[in-house]
Amino acid sequence: MLEIGLTGGIGSGKTRVADMFAERGAALIDTDLLAHEITAPGGAAIAPLVEAFGPRCLRSDGAMDRDAMRALVFSDPSAKTRLEGITHPLIRQLTEARAAAIRSAGQHPYLIYVVPLLVESGTWRARVGRVLVVDCQEETQVARVIGRNGFTRDQVLAIMHKQATRAARLAVADDVIDNDGPPEALAPQVARLDALYRGLSASQAGA
């Protein structure tokens, strides 16, 4: 089975693109959703997070307080290292378990991992057969995130500056979807790549 890593900067539209591939039959594993799973009330990361950061890292419902942790890691690089040391191994374990189940079931033509920090992690390029980047102008990202999340421009830029640059993402891309245009421009691009991925996956199966 062909395995693809899908990435893009904040506001690029990678979630919408991933959902369009899923509508065509692709299997999806979204590492951001797994991160939410392990930091939900009772999640696998909660106890080690409290041990590392104290109860200030939790909301009243027992989930990780993402806003508080975001503010902390922006102000303290060592906190970012400690946070990632807890969450990244757990996310990887879950990712590998879900991928093994998908491969075993054999019900999908190919598998897409949605990985916002694919470039930054440094290991994903070797773990997938192809990298797909959802790309748009940086000003498009800013406008979308302001409209979607209500962040200020400075807040959006601060997040973007913590991510890989647009050029760095494009440098590792095997495939690119341009999401600067209207929503209807996505479907033909997804259809073309769906056909490509099905063909490559079938070739792998027959090899």
Side-chain angles (χ1 to χ4, degrees), residues 35-52:
H36 279 80
E37 185 176 323
I38 64 171
T39 57
I46 294 300
L49 284 170
V50 171
E51 184 176 347

Side-chain angles (χ1 to χ4, degrees), residues 8-76:
I10 186 171
S12 63
K14 55 188 173 293
T15 300
R16 174 60 185 141
V17 169
D19 288 344
M20 292 174 74
F21 278 104
E23 290 165 6
R24 289 178 164 271
L28 290 187
I29 297 176
D30 188 326
T31 60
D32 204 34
L33 293 181
L34 297 185
H36 279 80
E37 185 176 323
I38 64 171
T39 57
I46 294 300
L49 284 170
V50 171
E51 184 176 347
F53 300 103
R56 63 178 174 161
C57 72
L58 299 186
R59 299 189 319 226
S60 59
D61 65 357
M64 185 183 78
D65 188 329
R66 299 179 77 83
D67 290 337
M69 291 305 296
R70 185 181 297 112
L72 179 61
V73 301
F74 270 118
S75 63
D76 181 359

Side-chain angles (χ1 to χ4, degrees), residues 20-27 107-110 194 198:
M20 292 174 74
F21 278 104
E23 290 165 6
R24 289 178 164 271
Q107 296 176 345
H108 300 275
Y110 53 90
D194 174 66
R198 285 173 180 272

Side-chain angles (χ1 to χ4, degrees), residues 13 15 22-23 54 74 95 110 126 130 144 156 167 178 182 185 204:
T15 300
E23 290 165 6
F74 270 118
T95 299
Y110 53 90
R130 294 180 79 85
R144 284 178 181 156
V156 181
D178 178 358
Q204 282 187 7

